[in-house]
Amino acid sequence: MAEELTVEVATPDDVPGIARVMRGVADEGRWIGTPAGTDVAALEERFAATVADPGTHVLVLRGGGDVVGLASLTREHVRGAHGVGMSIAADWRRRGGGGLLLDGLLDHAATDPDVHKVELQVWPHNGGAIALYVSRGFVVEGILRDHWRRPDGALWSSMIMGWWPPRG
Ligand SMILES: CC(C)(COP(=O)(O)OP(=O)(O)OC[C@H]1O[C@@H](n2cnc3c(N)ncnc32)[C@H](O)[C@@H]1OP(=O)(O)O)[C@@H](O)C(=O)NCCC(=O)NCCS
């Protein structure tokens, strides 16, 4: 069913759709760091800045004419090591969209001579995302143990994964 999904570079017009997807995934409470119930207006403000940031590459996944997912490659504190974030609306998962988005980000990273590494963090219980990352060549680098405090006060660990652009 992947043929009904397309990936494009995000534009400012996509920001409301991106915020809607992020809010839905945040409200599931299990996959991303953004807390459930995060104000949609705050998400729109955050992603308007992200889409406008020349240091961030943002892709949107479209299905049925709507934004149904997004992925970003962001400059982090270590120059040249860029971070991945991605979210797809629950009804649109397992149709190949995650692979399309991640391939788009990694193609971009591979052609940017300033990017020497792509990194991400994932909750260890997120087996689907980990399987996707491994399928694209990411390796586990370690665990940040009891590192992130969740809105209910619980401490969650995260797994660090890395990918290096193939360079001739
Ligand atoms: C993780 C996520 C982006 C994957 O997107 P997706 O569109 O469902 O993934 P795809 O359909 O492209 O799957 C590609 C491969 O990833 C793996 N995979 C994805 N979801 C999986 C799952 N739930 N269980 C097992 N493997 C899974 C499989 O290897 C799959 O290949 P296959 O379909 O040939 O078996 C999506 O599930 C999502 O947005 N989840 C909620 C937010 C999230 O977890 N973001 C990542 C935070 S680190």
Side-chain angles (χ1 to χ4, degrees), residues 71-150:
S72 59
L73 188 68
T74 308
R75 276 186 199 148
E76 309 272 355
H77 11 274
V78 175
R79 186 176 169 186
H82 291 207
V84 166
M86 54 193 302
S87 287
I88 296 177
D91 289 348
W92 289 88
R93 293 177 196 153
R94 297 312 304 265
R95 303 184 193 205
L100 288 175
L101 284 170
L102 189 55
D103 289 344
L105 290 188
L106 298 182
D107 285 349
H108 181 82
T111 56
D112 183 342
D114 292 334
V115 179
H116 64 257
K117 177 178 181 180
V118 176
E119 61 179 347
L120 60 84
Q121 290 186 42
V122 58
W123 307 129
H125 62 250
N126 196 348
I130 293 167
L132 169 63
Y133 300 139
V134 168
S135 77
R136 265 52 182 190
F138 279 81
V139 300
V140 176
E141 295 195 88
I143 298 278
L144 292 174
R145 185 172 156 184
D146 293 347
H147 191 80
W148 299 99
R149 191 172 290 284
R150 300 291 292 172

Side-chain angles (χ1 to χ4, degrees), residues 42-67:
L43 288 170
E44 288 189 3
E45 191 176 339
R46 173 176 144 198
F47 280 95
T50 303
V51 168
D53 177 0
T56 302
H57 187 62
V58 185
L59 298 177
V60 287
L61 183 70
R62 289 189 207 288
D66 288 328
V67 173

